[in-house]
Amino acid sequence: MITRQSVIRLIRSASSVTCTTMAPISFDYDLVVIGGGSGGLAASKEAASLGQRVALLDYVVPTPLGTAWGLGGTCVNVGCIPKKLMHQAGLIGESIKDSYLYGWETAVGEQLERTKTVNHHWNRMREDVQNVIKGSNFTYRVALRNTNVKYINAYGSFVDKHKIKLINKNGEESFLTSKNFLIATGERPKYPDIPGAKEYGISSDDLFSLPYCPGKTLVIGASYVALECAGFLREIGLDVTVMVRSILLRGFDQEMAEKVGDYMAEEVGVKFLRPCVPLSVELIKEGEPSRLLVKAKMGDGTVIQDDYNTVLFAIGRTPCTDKIGLDQIGVKVDENGKIPTINEQTNVSNVYAVGDIVQGKPELTPVAIKAGLALARRLAGQSDTQCDYSFVPTTIFTPLEYSCCGFSEEKAKETYGEDNLEIYIQHFTPTEWTVAQRPKNKCYVKMICLLTEKERVIGFHYLGPNAGEVIQFLSLVLKKGCTKEDFDSLVGVHPTNAETFVYLTVTKRSGKSSLQAGCCG
């Protein structure tokens, strides 16, 4: 007879067998990285070097113009690298103009003395820049292979929290599983919702490989991308106009932003339309470049129009998170498409995110790399170190470069109150500019100090040559809590632009002139 006790014993026996003999869940990989940009590459290589089984998915959806690129993400292909190289082209153009006053008796120098112009060949520059990029694409492929990362050129979207569907360029589907996933899909440029924008406009995703000189160019936007592109296009000799809806460089110190814009307008010759918004883009004449009619509305309601060869939209970027199946597995995504994380972990325990798609973190290549490396080491059980997102330095490569770290003046006042701040300022003229007869006192530095903490430095701002080189190690000052007195104790390197930070004495509160009178102020 089957009793209640015998049934219980049978169930317990079956449960015991199941628990002791069930094999652990097996996945194809320990980590699958979605996105082959800076953060994804760094994380995948580091994880693989630490013994993890890793695959990296990367697939570039072409722009409306049809532009696509290789492995490496935005920074390498359509961002930092080509931008810096074309910015360098602009700087070289300025140096060529200076060369005659420095005694160079060349054919170019004699020509400049007569005409004050110099010719630039867009196609030659573009080809050489693209060769650098293609070399980087190949280097990354080799690096993945050498670290045993499986590179898959396919578009990935989640099926469940451990499974992903792949679609390759031929439309073929496949699936793979992983213990953990890292989303590093980055962002793509936005287009305004106006007639002709996507049909006839381009973005920075198209500019650096554009097969013809852009000609007369309208840049729509006031982001760092907009101003950087407008800057080097003008410096290589093109007619450039920037259409600005409201303020320049939103999120950055506004005094510095206006000085960037003033220099571009007054010394470089970039034209600004502000406040102004585009209404439509129409094709007048096909060609390379074509002729486009742009209609726009000024702040007072006046409708204006003009024709351009190229219209470049740089009005912001959209996270690539809406088409990878995050809704299928319950990953939280904010209204703006960004993913909230805690130490790179999403609300789904085995799904992580790094880079520009993460909510509230700096949208910078080095940040994505640092976060990716730290995460890979934690997932491999080799470290518990978290990425430090505080006091991250950055540089905008406009014709006169701008770098900063820490608080803007606006944010410092909002956080600590104006009365609790001492703000040191100084205009200056680089020594190299004196022979070249460039304008005086266009460069500027600002140091923001907290009075309630013995003038602890909480913000640096620098407008001048080689801004990225100047700001890099100043970020360490903010991380270590140094004060203005610490700076006063330093000895400057002379003659340099960076030494200006060592000799700051004028404050905004004093109302005294911050114009440089001579060597060392």
Side-chain angles (χ1 to χ4, degrees):
M1 184 177 69
I2 299 176
T3 65
R4 181 172 179 272
Q5 287 76 14
S6 64
V7 171
I8 292 174
R9 283 195 300 271
L10 182 63
I11 292 174
R12 286 176 175 172
S13 175
S15 299
S16 175
V17 170
T18 301
C19 291
T20 56
T21 61
M22 180 183 293
I25 298 175
S26 177
F27 299 111
D28 298 324
Y29 295 96
D30 298 309
L31 177 66
V32 167
V33 178
I34 309 172
S38 302
L41 285 168
S44 61
K45 291 185 292 182
E46 185 71 4
S49 71
L50 296 174
Q52 299 277 288
R53 297 170 301 150
V54 182
L56 181 140
L57 316 180
D58 188 61
Y59 186 88
V60 178
V61 177
T63 70
L65 194 67
T67 307
W69 49 87
L71 182 64
T74 296
C75 177
V76 169
N77 293 282
V78 291
C80 315
I81 300 304
K83 175 270 302 289
K84 183 70 182 294
L85 293 174
M86 292 191 178
H87 169 62
Q88 180 66 14
L91 295 181
I92 290 173
E94 288 301 302
S95 295
I96 292 173
K97 293 176 183 178
D98 293 343
S99 65
Y100 186 85
L101 293 171
Y102 270 97
W104 286 97
E105 292 290 345
T106 65
V108 171
E110 293 166 2
Q111 175 193 5
L112 288 178
E113 181 61 6
R114 292 194 302 271
T115 66
K116 304 296 183 186
T117 61
V118 61
N119 294 323
H120 180 272
H121 298 278
W122 171 270
N123 288 342
R124 189 190 307 161
M125 176 185 69
R126 183 211 66 232
E127 182 178 353
D128 289 339
V129 168
Q130 288 302 310
N131 285 340
V132 171
I133 292 170
K134 289 173 184 176
S136 296
N137 298 151
F138 177 76
T139 299
Y140 289 132
R141 291 282 297 270
V142 172
L144 291 180
R145 185 179 65 216
N146 289 344
T147 51
N148 294 317
V149 175
K150 175 66 174 178
Y151 167 61
I152 304 173
N153 183 210
Y155 194 94
S157 58
F158 285 98
V159 175
D160 62 43
K161 63 183 292 187
H162 288 291
K163 186 176 183 180
I164 196 166
K165 178 175 72 174
L166 313 180
I167 302 179
N168 66 18
K169 62 182 179 180
N170 298 321
E172 299 166 338
E173 289 187 5
S174 59
F175 298 86
L176 57 80
T177 60
S178 180
K179 178 181 178 182
N180 294 307
F181 287 92
L182 173 60
I183 307 167
T185 48
E187 298 179 309
R188 298 294 290 271
K190 294 179 181 178
Y191 287 82
D193 186 18
I194 61 171
K198 289 186 176 181
E199 293 84 352
Y200 308 119
I202 68 170
S203 72
S204 56
D205 282 358
D206 304 297
L207 178 63
F208 303 109
S209 60
L210 202 64
Y212 54 85
C213 180
K216 182 181 178 182
T217 302
L218 174 65
V219 178
I220 298 178
S223 64
Y224 70 90
V225 174
L227 298 188
E228 287 176 337
C229 291
F232 72 69
L233 289 175
R234 177 60 193 143
E235 285 201 305
I236 65 173
L238 303 185
D239 183 331
V240 179
T241 300
V242 178
M243 184 180 291
V244 181
R245 183 183 62 183
S246 54
I247 64 174
L248 301 177
L249 301 176
R250 187 177 301 278
F252 289 88
D253 187 287
Q254 283 303 290
E255 180 185 27
M256 304 302 295
E258 288 301 319
K259 287 183 178 293
V260 168
D262 289 346
Y263 186 89
M264 291 179 66
E266 296 168 7
E267 307 302 332
V268 183
V270 174
K271 291 170 281 190
F272 284 86
L273 294 171
R274 60 184 297 198
C276 187
V277 294
L279 299 176
S280 64
V281 181
E282 302 173 27
L283 178 65
I284 300 175
K285 182 180 179 181
E286 292 184 352
E288 291 188 348
S290 57
R291 284 186 60 205
L292 304 169
L293 178 67
V294 178
K295 295 181 180 179
K297 181 185 289 187
M298 299 296 294
D300 61 4
T302 303
V303 175
I304 62 171
Q305 64 179 39
D306 201 351
D307 63 286
Y308 302 90
N309 298 121
T310 300
V311 177
L312 169 65
F313 291 104
I315 59 173
R317 301 174 68 83
T318 301
C320 299
T321 56
D322 61 332
K323 297 178 181 178
I324 57 174
L326 297 183
D327 55 330
Q328 295 293 317
I329 60 173
V331 171
K332 290 181 180 178
V333 179
D334 286 349
E335 291 182 359
N336 60 7
K338 298 252 183 177
I339 301 175
T341 63
I342 298 176
N343 298 328
E344 292 75 57
Q345 187 176 45
T346 72
N347 63 298
V348 176
S349 61
N350 71 309
V351 179
Y352 300 82
V354 297
D356 294 355
I357 59 171
V358 178
Q359 182 64 275
K361 299 297 187 290
E363 298 180 7
L364 298 166
T365 293
V367 172
I369 292 172
K370 285 284 187 180
L373 290 173
L375 175 63
R377 291 163 188 159
R378 296 199 305 273
L379 292 178
Q382 300 297 311
S383 170
D384 59 3
T385 301
Q386 306 292 341
C387 180
D388 182 2
Y389 291 99
S390 65
F391 296 120
V392 174
T394 190
T395 297
I396 300 172
F397 292 97
T398 39
L400 190 59
E401 298 171 3
Y402 165 43
S403 61
C404 59
C405 184
F407 284 81
S408 66
E409 185 173 337
E410 291 82 8
K411 191 65 176 179
K413 288 177 179 178
E414 177 188 326
T415 305
Y416 297 106
E418 185 172 358
D419 292 341
N420 293 320
L421 303 176
E422 195 71 273
I423 301 174
Y424 292 86
I425 56 174
Q426 180 66 60
H427 289 85
F428 69 97
T429 304
T431 303
E432 299 86 344
W433 286 19
T434 54
V435 170
Q437 298 179 9
R438 295 209 198 171
K440 295 181 179 180
N441 286 308
K442 291 295 183 179
C443 301
Y444 186 68
V445 298
K446 178 192 294 189
M447 179 188 291
I448 303 173
C449 303
L450 189 56
L451 284 171
T452 54
E453 297 184 21
K454 298 181 179 180
E455 291 197 324
R456 176 169 66 88
V457 182
I458 61 172
F460 277 119
H461 300 270
Y462 170 94
L463 179 66
N466 303 307
E469 311 300 335
V470 171
I471 203 70
Q472 176 64 79
F473 290 103
L474 286 176
S475 61
L476 184 63
V477 172
L478 279 74
K479 285 182 178 290
K480 295 301 182 182
C482 293
T483 65
K484 176 63 165 56
E485 184 179 4
D486 293 323
F487 264 86
D488 293 341
S489 70
L490 297 178
V491 177
V493 179
H494 183 69
T496 65
N497 300 320
E499 69 176 319
T500 308
F501 280 119
V502 178
Y503 301 114
L504 292 174
T505 59
V506 178
T507 68
K508 281 197 168 184
R509 191 191 307 272
S510 72
K512 295 180 180 179
S513 172
S514 64
L515 298 180
Q516 186 183 54
C519 180
C520 298

